[in-house]
């Protein structure tokens, strides 16, 4: 259990120290954020703020995880390595996207097809590999069943459909976090809460795993404690980054961070076998994503009419006259309520089996 604490503290310290170093490094080279011309005009003052800060989150998470493994004398597990691979791979796609935005001085980076190809390669490799590497109990990092609190026994997809299912989950969460990252500290703070939920879930699953405590309602999860360590490292890294990313932000995570965090969240959901529970945990992210889907769909169907003043949803409230910090804090409250509800559902499901 100490490893969870080690990972979170190491990542927090690395991120706290590393972020201002990144601010100086990126600012010196002119790696500043480009702002959408059609976005809220109040955001134009943010033009030129250093971006690609997600590199600090990714590197702090990786450093914290591997140092923790070294300090505790434990080997990295396949489940954790695959989640870290997914995070790093999508972060790399986001990094290329961010760099092109900066290099070409525009608010759009990689073309949609190129970005899709990059995300697809990383996602499919992850989805295929998580069904391999069984341990002594025959458990692989993920299963081909759809899961809520546990695998749903009758809902088996098979390897091929599972890859498609995993692709949809990963693409959905990475883009949902990406859309949420539009106000200072919004996505970072919400991510802290989401990953804290997976720290709790991983630790609980470890204590009630079928391998160490076989009983009714035990969890058949491959490496729950190591998944908790990854989640703790992500939580700590986001906490440290939030210190500098809170309004007024000194740096933005960019697509480097948002795609990486969304991928890590999806990976944790798949490997902890809580894919459907993640819908509650990440409720704020889904709310933001669906606001865009609704806006675009209604705009096309109605030939120019809109449901919201602007999408994603946080911009709608800005256009209503809310101050940015008020939107962020209130959306954090929504994210916190979603996490609290999800943990209540998680524990309630366990208690119901006893």
């Amino acid at each position: 259990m100490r490893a969870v604490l080690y990972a979170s503290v190491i990542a927090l310290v690395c991120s706290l120290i590393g972020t201002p170093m990144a601010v100086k490094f990126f600012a010196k080279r002119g790696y500043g954020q480009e702002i959408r011309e059609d976005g809220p005009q109040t955001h134009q003052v943010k033009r030129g703020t250093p971006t690609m800060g997600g590199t600090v989150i990714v590197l702090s998470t990786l450093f914290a995880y591997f140092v923790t493994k070294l300090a505790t004398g434990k080997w990295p597990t396949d489940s954790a390595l695959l989640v870290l691979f997914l995070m790093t791979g999508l972060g790399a796609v986001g990094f290329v996207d961010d760099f092109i935005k900066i290099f070409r001085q525009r608010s759009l980076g990689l073309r949609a097809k190129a970005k899709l190809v990059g995300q697809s390669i990383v996602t499919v490799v992850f989805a295929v590999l998580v069904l391999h590497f069984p341990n002594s109990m025959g458990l692989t990092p993920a299963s081909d069943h759809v899961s809520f609190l546990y695998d749903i026994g009758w809902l088996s997809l098979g390897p091929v459909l599972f890859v498609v299912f995993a692709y949809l989950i990963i693409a959905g969460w990475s883009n949902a976090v990406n859309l949420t990252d539009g106000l200072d500290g919004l996505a970072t703070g919400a991510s802290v809460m989401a990953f804290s939920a997976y720290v709790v879930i991983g630790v609980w699953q470890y204590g009630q795993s079928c391998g160490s405590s076989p009983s009714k309602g035990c969890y058949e999860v491959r490496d729950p404690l190591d998944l908790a360590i990854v989640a703790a490292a992500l939580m700590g890294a986001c906490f440290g980054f939030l210190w500098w990313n809170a309004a007024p932000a000194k740096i933005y995570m960019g697509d480097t961070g948002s795609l990486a965090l969304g991928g890590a969240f999806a990976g944790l959901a798949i490997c902890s076998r809580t894919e459907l529970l993640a819908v509650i945990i990440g409720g704020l992210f889904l709310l933001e994503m669906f606001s865009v889907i609704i806006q675009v769909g209604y705009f096309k169907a109605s030939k120019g009419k809109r449901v919201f003043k602007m999408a994603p949803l946080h911009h709608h409230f800005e256009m209503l006259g809310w101050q940015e910090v008020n939107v962020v804090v209130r959306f954090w409250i929504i994210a916190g309520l979603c996490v609290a509800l999800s943990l209540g559902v998680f524990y309630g499901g366990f208690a119901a089996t006893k």
Side-chain angles (χ1 to χ4, degrees):
M1 297 298 183
R2 288 179 300 174
V4 174
L5 179 60
Y6 292 163
S8 60
V9 172
I10 293 170
L12 171 63
V13 172
C14 287
S15 188
L16 274 173
I17 296 173
T19 303
M21 294 171 64
V23 171
K24 294 179 181 178
F25 178 83
F26 292 140
K28 185 176 180 180
R29 287 159 178 77
Y31 293 175
Q33 177 73 32
E34 292 297 319
I35 305 297
R36 289 170 47 190
E37 294 296 336
D38 59 344
Q41 291 306 302
T42 55
H43 286 210
Q44 294 305 315
V45 298
K46 301 181 180 183
R47 186 182 301 274
T49 301
T51 186
M52 296 195 294
T55 53
V56 178
I57 297 175
V58 172
L59 292 175
S60 296
T61 301
L62 293 172
F63 182 79
Y65 175 78
F66 287 110
V67 169
T68 297
K69 293 278 97 179
L70 185 63
T72 56
K74 303 290 186 180
W75 284 100
T77 62
D78 296 322
S79 300
L81 290 176
L82 285 169
V83 173
L84 293 173
F85 161 77
L86 182 61
M87 174 195 72
T88 306
L90 291 180
V93 174
F95 182 86
V96 174
D97 188 48
D98 286 333
F99 187 79
I100 290 175
K101 291 176 187 177
I102 294 165
F103 183 74
R104 297 187 177 177
Q105 295 292 296
R106 65 186 191 189
S107 61
L108 295 176
L110 278 172
R111 296 190 181 279
K113 288 184 179 179
K115 195 172 184 178
L116 181 62
V117 169
Q119 290 176 302
S120 298
I121 291 172
V122 175
T123 299
V124 171
V125 170
F126 169 83
V128 171
L129 291 180
V130 289
L131 294 180
H132 293 77
F133 312 111
N135 63 6
S136 59
M137 296 178 61
L139 293 175
T140 53
S143 76
D144 60 5
H145 290 74
V146 177
S147 59
F148 181 43
L149 307 178
Y150 306 88
D151 281 346
I152 301 173
W154 56 269
L155 196 49
S156 176
L157 300 175
V160 175
L161 284 179
F162 170 79
V163 171
V164 176
F165 179 60
Y167 175 83
L168 294 175
I169 291 174
I170 296 166
W173 284 119
S174 59
N175 286 298
V177 176
N178 183 251
L179 290 170
T180 306
D181 184 33
L183 299 179
D184 294 0
L186 177 56
T188 313
S191 295
V192 168
M193 299 180 212
F195 290 126
S196 69
Y198 273 112
V199 173
V200 175
I201 289 171
V203 170
W204 185 263
Q205 287 178 333
Y206 174 72
Q208 308 296 330
S209 67
C210 295
S212 60
S213 180
S215 62
K216 184 180 179 182
C218 63
Y219 297 94
E220 291 187 332
V221 176
R222 166 70 192 271
D223 305 299
L225 185 58
D226 225 28
L227 293 176
I229 293 171
V230 171
L234 283 158
M235 180 186 70
C238 288
F239 248 132
F241 186 77
L242 182 60
W243 182 270
W244 306 100
N245 182 234
K250 301 292 189 297
I251 188 171
Y252 300 126
M253 70 168 72
D255 283 10
T256 308
S258 59
L259 294 183
L261 293 179
F265 182 78
L268 288 169
I270 291 170
C271 291
S272 65
R273 307 190 183 189
T274 56
E275 294 119 346
L276 299 184
L277 182 64
V279 171
I280 305 176
I281 298 173
L284 175 66
F285 299 132
L286 287 187
L287 184 65
E288 293 273 41
M289 182 174 69
F290 281 123
S291 71
V292 174
I293 294 172
I294 291 169
Q295 183 85 325
V296 173
Y298 187 75
F299 183 84
K300 292 181 178 179
S302 64
K303 297 181 180 179
K305 295 182 180 180
R306 293 176 170 83
V307 177
F308 307 106
K309 290 184 176 293
M310 186 176 290
L313 190 60
H314 54 260
H315 288 324
H316 170 75
F317 289 101
E318 278 193 290
M319 299 299 288
L320 288 177
W322 290 23
Q323 294 297 313
E324 180 176 353
V325 68
N326 290 337
V327 179
V328 171
V329 171
R330 288 166 182 168
F331 274 42
W332 279 353
I333 293 172
I334 295 172
L337 290 173
C338 289
V339 167
L341 175 61
S342 67
L343 292 178
V345 171
F346 178 77
Y347 179 75
F350 174 80
T353 64
K354 297 302 178 183

